[in-house]
Amino acid sequence: MSARFRTHLSRLVIRALLAFGLAAAVSSPAAAVLQCAPYARAQSGIDIHGNAGTWWDQAAGRYRRGSEPRVGAVLAFQPSRAMPIGHVAVVAEIVDDRHVYLNHANWSGPGRIERRALAEDVSPNGDWSEVRVWYAPQNALGLRENPAFGFIYNESEGNDAPPAQTFAQEISAAIVSAGSH
């Protein structure tokens, strides 16, 4: 086995253990509450750490950013009075120019994971700078308009570095690589 393959395999094993740990934390009521940032990182493959409100600036120079929703992109919400450390969510599906479904954690309740939560762009210019998000306790879109920076795409900012890969993509690459040795 080559050193490169061993390094790649080690990274995959570590990520699998982390993913397993996240799943165990979600299923264990005594465990710490799952936050939005680790969930978004695990779902999107975007390797940014820290409070959600810092993701936009951390992405500068590393990942492409924009105002157009794309499946797999992270919608980065700005910190506000209601969300002092911001929020991040992953685009699961695009409905139309003003509506997407999000997968995210810790929005409608502590540690709660929501899949296909409707989000609506309510910004005057259609640039996703103000967003209303489905709020499960009300069984409706939330009333609050949440400020957003925009979308972080899992694509490198420069042309010299490959884009980050999701866990599933890394496993597939490792299997293909192992088969060719």
Side-chain angles (χ1 to χ4, degrees):
M1 209 178 335
S2 72
R4 183 176 174 206
F5 178 73
R6 281 192 304 262
T7 301
H8 191 71
L9 189 58
S10 294
R11 284 180 49 216
L12 289 173
V13 168
I14 289 169
R15 289 188 73 187
L17 291 172
L18 286 172
F20 177 75
L22 279 176
V26 171
S27 65
S28 172
V33 173
L34 178 64
Q35 299 296 315
C36 63
Y39 180 79
R41 183 173 47 254
Q43 294 296 306
S44 69
I46 294 175
D47 190 26
I48 296 179
H49 297 259
N51 288 338
T54 68
W55 277 43
W56 186 255
D57 289 339
Q58 287 188 64
R62 293 178 59 197
Y63 295 97
R64 293 191 190 280
R65 304 179 301 171
S67 59
E68 175 187 323
R70 296 183 195 163
V71 172
V74 171
L75 176 55
F77 291 88
Q78 297 180 26
S80 64
R81 175 177 268 173
M83 299 182 300
I85 59 172
H87 185 70
V88 286
V90 180
V91 177
E93 183 181 332
I94 298 169
V95 178
D96 59 35
D97 289 347
R98 294 282 190 147
H99 298 90
V100 297
Y101 287 116
L102 301 173
N103 292 342
H104 59 161
N106 210 37
W107 181 268
S108 292
R112 182 177 183 165
I113 294 174
E114 293 178 275
R115 291 181 180 85
R116 292 181 47 88
L118 184 64
E120 178 182 43
D121 173 19
V122 293
S123 63
N125 298 325
D127 60 6
W128 289 87
S129 60
E130 294 288 331
V131 181
R132 290 176 54 212
V133 180
W134 186 264
Y135 188 60
Q138 291 178 325
N139 202 30
L141 276 173
L143 301 176
R144 182 178 72 223
E145 294 181 3
N146 304 284
F149 292 112
F151 298 92
I152 302 170
Y153 310 115
N154 192 350
E155 303 167 6
S156 66
E157 183 65 42
N159 293 329
D160 54 350
Q165 293 183 322
T166 65
F167 182 59
Q169 290 169 327
E170 287 186 28
I171 289 174
S172 295
I175 291 169
V176 169
S177 176
S180 65
H181 285 83

